CSV table of all heavy atoms in Angstrom, one decimal:
chain,number,residue,atom,x,y,z
A,131,ALA,N,13.1,52.4,12.8
A,131,ALA,CA,14.5,52.3,13.0
A,131,ALA,C,14.8,51.6,14.3
A,131,ALA,O,14.2,51.9,15.3
A,131,ALA,CB,15.1,53.7,13.0
A,132,MET,N,15.8,50.7,14.2
A,132,MET,CA,16.3,50.0,15.4
A,132,MET,C,17.6,50.5,15.9
A,132,MET,O,17.8,50.6,17.1
A,132,MET,CB,16.4,48.5,15.1
A,132,MET,CG,15.2,47.7,14.9
A,132,MET,SD,15.5,46.0,14.6
A,132,MET,CE,16.6,45.6,16.0
A,133,GLN,N,18.4,51.0,14.9
A,133,GLN,CA,19.7,51.5,15.3
A,133,GLN,C,20.2,52.4,14.2
A,133,GLN,O,19.8,52.3,13.0
A,133,GLN,CB,20.7,50.3,15.6
A,133,GLN,CG,20.9,49.5,14.3
A,133,GLN,CD,21.6,48.2,14.6
A,133,GLN,OE1,21.1,47.5,15.5
A,133,GLN,NE2,22.6,47.9,13.9
A,134,THR,N,21.3,53.2,14.5
A,134,THR,CA,22.0,53.9,13.4
A,134,THR,C,23.4,53.3,13.4
A,134,THR,O,24.1,53.1,14.5
A,134,THR,CB,22.1,55.4,13.8
A,134,THR,OG1,20.7,55.9,13.7
A,134,THR,CG2,22.9,56.1,12.8
A,135,ASP,N,23.8,52.9,12.2
A,135,ASP,CA,25.2,52.4,12.0
A,135,ASP,C,26.0,53.4,11.4
A,135,ASP,O,25.5,54.3,10.6
A,135,ASP,CB,25.1,51.1,11.1
A,135,ASP,CG,24.4,49.9,11.7
A,135,ASP,OD1,24.4,49.8,12.9
A,135,ASP,OD2,23.8,49.1,10.9
A,136,PHE,N,27.3,53.4,11.6
A,136,PHE,CA,28.2,54.4,11.1
A,136,PHE,C,29.3,53.8,10.3
A,136,PHE,O,29.9,52.8,10.7
A,136,PHE,CB,28.9,55.2,12.3
A,136,PHE,CG,27.9,56.0,13.1
A,136,PHE,CD1,27.3,55.4,14.2
A,136,PHE,CD2,27.4,57.2,12.6
A,136,PHE,CE1,26.3,56.2,15.0
A,136,PHE,CE2,26.5,57.9,13.4
A,136,PHE,CZ,25.9,57.4,14.5
A,137,PHE,N,29.6,54.3,9.2
A,137,PHE,CA,30.7,53.8,8.3
A,137,PHE,C,31.7,55.0,8.1
A,137,PHE,O,31.3,56.1,7.7
A,137,PHE,CB,30.1,53.4,6.9
A,137,PHE,CG,29.0,52.4,7.1
A,137,PHE,CD1,27.7,52.7,7.3
A,137,PHE,CD2,29.4,51.1,7.0
A,137,PHE,CE1,26.7,51.7,7.4
A,137,PHE,CE2,28.4,50.0,7.2
A,137,PHE,CZ,27.1,50.4,7.4
A,138,VAL,N,32.9,54.7,8.6
A,138,VAL,CA,33.9,55.8,8.7
A,138,VAL,C,35.1,55.4,7.8
A,138,VAL,O,35.6,54.3,7.9
A,138,VAL,CB,34.3,55.9,10.2
A,138,VAL,CG1,35.3,57.1,10.3
A,138,VAL,CG2,33.1,56.2,11.0
A,139,ARG,N,35.6,56.3,7.0
A,139,ARG,CA,36.8,56.1,6.2
A,139,ARG,C,37.8,57.1,6.7
A,139,ARG,O,37.5,58.3,6.9
A,139,ARG,CB,36.5,56.4,4.7
A,139,ARG,CG,35.6,55.3,4.2
A,139,ARG,CD,35.3,55.5,2.6
A,139,ARG,NE,34.6,56.7,2.3
A,139,ARG,CZ,33.3,56.8,2.6
A,139,ARG,NH1,32.6,55.9,3.1
A,139,ARG,NH2,32.7,58.0,2.3
A,140,VAL,N,39.1,56.6,6.9
A,140,VAL,CA,40.1,57.5,7.4
A,140,VAL,C,41.4,57.3,6.5
A,140,VAL,O,41.8,56.2,6.2
A,140,VAL,CB,40.6,57.1,8.8
A,140,VAL,CG1,41.4,58.1,9.5
A,140,VAL,CG2,39.3,56.8,9.7
A,141,GLN,N,41.9,58.4,6.1
A,141,GLN,CA,43.2,58.4,5.3
A,141,GLN,C,44.3,58.4,6.4
A,141,GLN,O,44.4,59.3,7.2
A,141,GLN,CB,43.3,59.7,4.5
A,141,GLN,CG,42.2,59.8,3.4
A,141,GLN,CD,42.5,58.8,2.3
A,141,GLN,OE1,43.6,58.4,2.1
A,141,GLN,NE2,41.4,58.5,1.6
A,142,VAL,N,45.2,57.4,6.4
A,142,VAL,CA,46.3,57.3,7.3
A,142,VAL,C,47.6,57.2,6.6
A,142,VAL,O,47.6,56.9,5.4
A,142,VAL,CB,46.1,56.1,8.3
A,142,VAL,CG1,44.9,56.3,9.2
A,142,VAL,CG2,46.0,54.8,7.5
A,143,ASP,N,48.7,57.3,7.3
A,143,ASP,CA,50.0,57.2,6.7
A,143,ASP,C,50.4,55.7,6.4
A,143,ASP,O,50.9,55.4,5.4
A,143,ASP,CB,51.1,57.8,7.6
A,143,ASP,CG,50.9,59.3,7.8
A,143,ASP,OD1,50.3,59.9,6.9
A,143,ASP,OD2,51.2,59.8,8.9
A,144,ARG,N,50.0,54.9,7.4
A,144,ARG,CA,50.4,53.4,7.3
A,144,ARG,C,49.3,52.7,8.0
A,144,ARG,O,48.7,53.0,9.0
A,144,ARG,CB,51.7,53.1,8.0
A,144,ARG,CG,52.8,54.1,7.8
A,144,ARG,CD,54.1,53.7,8.4
A,144,ARG,NE,54.1,52.4,9.1
A,144,ARG,CZ,54.8,52.2,10.2
A,144,ARG,NH1,55.4,53.2,10.9
A,144,ARG,NH2,54.8,51.0,10.8
A,145,ILE,N,48.9,51.5,7.3
A,145,ILE,CA,47.9,50.7,8.0
A,145,ILE,C,48.5,49.6,8.9
A,145,ILE,O,47.8,48.9,9.5
A,145,ILE,CB,47.0,50.0,7.0
A,145,ILE,CG1,47.8,49.1,6.0
A,145,ILE,CG2,46.2,51.0,6.2
A,145,ILE,CD1,46.9,48.1,5.3
A,146,ASP,N,49.9,49.5,8.9
A,146,ASP,CA,50.5,48.5,9.7
A,146,ASP,C,51.0,49.1,11.0
A,146,ASP,O,52.0,48.7,11.6
A,146,ASP,CB,51.6,47.8,9.0
A,146,ASP,CG,52.7,48.8,8.5
A,146,ASP,OD1,52.5,50.0,8.7
A,146,ASP,OD2,53.7,48.4,8.0
A,147,ASP,N,50.3,50.1,11.5
A,147,ASP,CA,50.6,50.8,12.8
A,147,ASP,C,49.4,50.7,13.7
A,147,ASP,O,48.6,51.6,13.8
A,147,ASP,CB,51.0,52.2,12.5
A,147,ASP,CG,51.5,53.0,13.7
A,147,ASP,OD1,51.3,52.4,14.8
A,147,ASP,OD2,52.0,54.1,13.5
A,148,PRO,N,49.2,49.5,14.4
A,148,PRO,CA,48.0,49.3,15.2
A,148,PRO,C,47.9,50.4,16.3
A,148,PRO,O,46.8,50.8,16.7
A,148,PRO,CB,48.2,47.9,15.8
A,148,PRO,CG,49.5,47.5,15.5
A,148,PRO,CD,50.0,48.3,14.4
A,149,GLN,N,49.0,50.9,16.8
A,149,GLN,CA,49.0,52.0,17.8
A,149,GLN,C,48.2,53.2,17.3
A,149,GLN,O,47.3,53.7,17.9
A,149,GLN,CB,50.4,52.3,18.3
A,149,GLN,CG,50.4,53.5,19.3
A,149,GLN,CD,49.8,53.1,20.6
A,149,GLN,OE1,49.6,52.0,21.1
A,149,GLN,NE2,49.2,54.2,21.3
A,150,ALA,N,48.7,53.7,16.1
A,150,ALA,CA,48.1,54.9,15.5
A,150,ALA,C,46.6,54.6,15.1
A,150,ALA,O,45.8,55.4,15.3
A,150,ALA,CB,48.9,55.3,14.2
A,151,LEU,N,46.3,53.4,14.6
A,151,LEU,CA,44.9,53.1,14.2
A,151,LEU,C,44.0,53.1,15.5
A,151,LEU,O,42.9,53.6,15.4
A,151,LEU,CB,44.8,51.8,13.5
A,151,LEU,CG,45.7,51.7,12.1
A,151,LEU,CD1,45.3,50.5,11.4
A,151,LEU,CD2,45.4,53.0,11.2
A,152,GLY,N,44.6,52.5,16.5
A,152,GLY,CA,43.8,52.5,17.8
A,152,GLY,C,43.5,53.9,18.3
A,152,GLY,O,42.4,54.2,18.8
A,153,GLU,N,44.5,54.8,18.1
A,153,GLU,CA,44.3,56.2,18.5
A,153,GLU,C,43.2,56.9,17.7
A,153,GLU,O,42.4,57.7,18.1
A,153,GLU,CB,45.5,57.0,18.4
A,153,GLU,CG,46.6,56.6,19.6
A,153,GLU,CD,48.0,57.1,19.3
A,153,GLU,OE1,48.2,57.9,18.4
A,153,GLU,OE2,48.9,56.6,20.1
A,154,TRP,N,43.2,56.5,16.4
A,154,TRP,CA,42.1,57.0,15.5
A,154,TRP,C,40.7,56.5,16.0
A,154,TRP,O,39.7,57.2,16.0
A,154,TRP,CB,42.3,56.5,14.1
A,154,TRP,CG,43.2,57.4,13.3
A,154,TRP,CD1,44.4,57.1,12.8
A,154,TRP,CD2,42.9,58.8,12.9
A,154,TRP,NE1,44.9,58.2,12.1
A,154,TRP,CE2,44.0,59.2,12.1
A,154,TRP,CE3,41.8,59.6,13.0
A,154,TRP,CZ2,44.1,60.5,11.6
A,154,TRP,CZ3,41.8,60.9,12.5
A,154,TRP,CH2,42.9,61.3,11.8
A,155,VAL,N,40.7,55.2,16.4
A,155,VAL,CA,39.4,54.7,16.8
A,155,VAL,C,38.9,55.5,18.0
A,155,VAL,O,37.7,55.8,18.1
A,155,VAL,CB,39.5,53.2,17.2
A,155,VAL,CG1,38.3,52.7,17.9
A,155,VAL,CG2,39.9,52.3,16.1
A,156,GLU,N,39.8,55.8,18.9
A,156,GLU,CA,39.4,56.5,20.1
A,156,GLU,C,38.9,57.9,19.8
A,156,GLU,O,37.9,58.4,20.3
A,156,GLU,CB,40.7,56.6,21.1
A,156,GLU,CG,40.3,57.2,22.4
A,156,GLU,CD,41.6,57.4,23.3
A,156,GLU,OE1,42.6,56.9,22.9
A,156,GLU,OE2,41.4,58.1,24.3
A,157,LYS,N,39.6,58.6,18.9
A,157,LYS,CA,39.2,60.0,18.5
A,157,LYS,C,37.8,59.9,17.8
A,157,LYS,O,37.0,60.8,18.0
A,157,LYS,CB,40.2,60.6,17.5
A,157,LYS,CG,41.5,60.9,18.1
A,157,LYS,CD,42.4,61.5,17.0
A,157,LYS,CE,43.9,61.3,17.3
A,157,LYS,NZ,44.7,61.5,16.2
């Protein structure tokens, strides 16, 4: 193994809200 990759799926209210999506990334 060289690395572990992560695939994450998130249910959100709207995808055109970069502020909220950025907060998800941080969490």
Side-chain angles (χ1 to χ4, degrees):
M132 289 179 54
Q133 65 193 48
T134 296
D135 296 329
F136 297 95
F137 301 89
V138 184
R139 290 181 297 286
V140 193
Q141 297 288 336
V142 295
D143 297 331
R144 318 185 0 222
I145 60 160
D146 57 354
D147 184 351
Q149 177 62 30
L151 300 189
E153 288 167 11
W154 274 113
V155 172
E156 189 186 346
K157 290 178 205 165

